[in-house]
Amino acid sequence: MNRCEFYYQSSLLLCLLADYEITVVTGGHKHSGIDSKVYLTLIGAQGRRSLKQQLCHKDGSHCFRRGAVDSFKLTSKDIGTLSKIRLVIGMLCLS
């Protein structure tokens, strides 16, 4: 079962989900790229947030290498219009 907020409408139980595609371009400069875990939270204009999700490839291949373009598909509760992206890299938080 997907984790999301549930809404009751008449006698129906609705779970509103949305699909998001995230593309990360890592710079090509010397020492660009990271080996740390990267987590993403999407924040909507009304303050609704997605769950924090780790960005990684399903096949286990390395992400965020120098000069790489990595794409990820995420399914989350619908947060409405995207306002902010919060990234947590290892212990570093970027909003």
Side-chain angles (χ1 to χ4, degrees), residues 12 16 40-41 47 85:
L12 298 175
L16 303 178
L40 174 90
T41 303
I85 295 175

Side-chain angles (χ1 to χ4, degrees), residues 7-14:
Y7 299 90
Y8 292 94
Q9 183 176 7
S10 301
S11 61
L12 298 175
L13 179 63
L14 302 176

Side-chain angles (χ1 to χ4, degrees), residues 55-66:
L55 297 180
C56 59
H57 295 298
K58 292 181 182 186
D59 65 3
S61 62
H62 291 287
C63 302
F64 315 114
R65 297 290 182 211
R66 182 173 67 180

Side-chain angles (χ1 to χ4, degrees), residues 11-30:
S11 61
L12 298 175
L13 179 63
L14 302 176
C15 177
L16 303 178
L17 296 176
D19 292 321
Y20 298 91
E21 184 167 335
I22 309 299
T23 301
V24 179
V25 179
T26 303
H29 302 288
K30 186 177 181 179

Side-chain angles (χ1 to χ4, degrees), residues 69-86:
V69 177
D70 296 292
S71 292
F72 307 92
K73 292 187 180 188
L74 306 176
T75 298
S76 176
K77 68 180 180 179
D78 188 355
I79 61 161
T81 302
L82 181 63
S83 174
K84 294 181 185 178
I85 295 175
R86 181 172 191 254

